[in-house]
Amino acid sequence: MTRSSRLFRDGVTTFALLAVLGLLALKMNNRPELIQTGSFFVIDGDTLSSDGQRFRLLGIDAPEYRQQCRRNGIDWACGEEARRTLNTLINAGTPECRGRDHDRYGRLLVTCMAGELDINGEMVRSGMALSYGGYAAEEHAARQAKAGVWAGDFERPKDYRREENVAQSNRSNPLTGLIDYLQQLVGWRTQ
């Protein structure tokens, strides 16, 4: 076999192998879109449940259910309000939620529509959720209008969750809580 024919054969073999690998990768990435319609139970401002399955609204992050915000110097239950807002939007028509991927908690990440209304986007536009990757224009409009949480002071939901996790950890391990208290008392650490 000549050198040129070996090079040709090796090139064809390499191309065929790459083509097979590409097709396998495409097949593995080609997850079907899951569609859920009908009745949903609203858990909080960005989480739904239906038939035992949980759904997380894609591209948004709403205040946690127990989260408080501050407006005009007064605390208000922004987490409860976010839940009520999503409940109103979900029950305004026959929503259809679509998604392919799951988050680390196993929830299907979905975009929900009620007719022409993008429910995820409306949550951000109303100021009852923050953009988390896909609704920057809606968040900008909510900020400008001082809608929802943007009308006052609030803690970003991810920061609130982190602090709640630390507090929960301290409650479950009294020694950690005592050490934190002593460090604050002697000024080793400030909040």
Side-chain angles (χ1 to χ4, degrees):
M1 187 178 274
T2 67
R3 181 172 189 256
S4 62
S5 62
R6 274 193 312 258
L7 285 175
F8 179 75
R9 181 195 66 201
D10 291 346
V12 169
T13 303
T14 302
F15 178 77
L17 181 60
L18 288 174
V20 167
L21 288 175
L23 289 172
L24 285 173
L26 183 62
K27 182 68 175 164
M28 288 174 33
N29 241 357
N30 194 16
R31 289 180 293 257
E33 182 175 55
L34 301 173
I35 302 170
Q36 181 76 30
T37 59
S39 170
F40 291 94
F41 175 76
V42 177
I43 295 171
D44 62 22
D46 55 22
T47 309
L48 305 170
S49 176
S50 180
D51 298 327
Q53 186 176 6
R54 289 203 174 195
F55 306 91
R56 175 74 156 72
L57 274 62
L58 181 65
I60 74 170
D61 195 13
E64 294 300 309
Y65 183 72
R66 290 188 175 91
Q67 188 171 345
Q68 297 284 310
C69 296
R70 198 156 182 78
R71 182 171 44 205
N72 299 325
I74 300 170
D75 287 344
W76 63 286
C78 56
E80 290 179 25
E81 185 64 29
R83 182 182 184 276
R84 278 193 295 274
T85 301
L86 181 55
N87 195 52
T88 298
L89 292 169
I90 283 292
N91 290 314
T94 305
E96 179 179 273
C97 298
R98 297 172 169 257
R100 283 190 168 84
D101 298 318
H102 291 82
D103 68 7
R104 64 183 173 161
Y105 303 107
R107 299 175 296 189
L108 183 64
L109 297 168
V110 295
T111 301
C112 297
M113 303 290 290
E116 297 295 314
L117 177 68
D118 178 347
I119 293 172
N120 304 34
E122 187 58 32
M123 285 296 292
V124 175
R125 203 173 5 268
S126 70
M128 297 315 305
L130 309 180
S131 173
Y132 192 67
Y135 295 96
E138 289 84 349
E139 182 174 300
H140 180 73
R143 282 178 185 229
Q144 295 290 66
K146 296 191 182 313
V149 298
W150 301 107
D153 299 320
F154 68 96
E155 189 171 18
R156 291 191 170 273
K158 68 179 182 176
D159 296 335
Y160 176 83
R161 285 189 297 274
R162 184 180 59 246
E163 288 179 14
E164 283 296 302
N165 288 339
V166 167
Q168 177 63 33
S169 174
N170 289 344
R171 285 191 294 272
S172 65
N173 183 352
L175 185 58
T176 303
L178 177 61
I179 291 169
D180 285 348
Y181 173 75
L182 290 173
Q183 286 177 337
Q184 290 172 19
L185 184 66
V186 296
W188 289 342
R189 187 177 67 151
T190 59
Q191 287 197 17

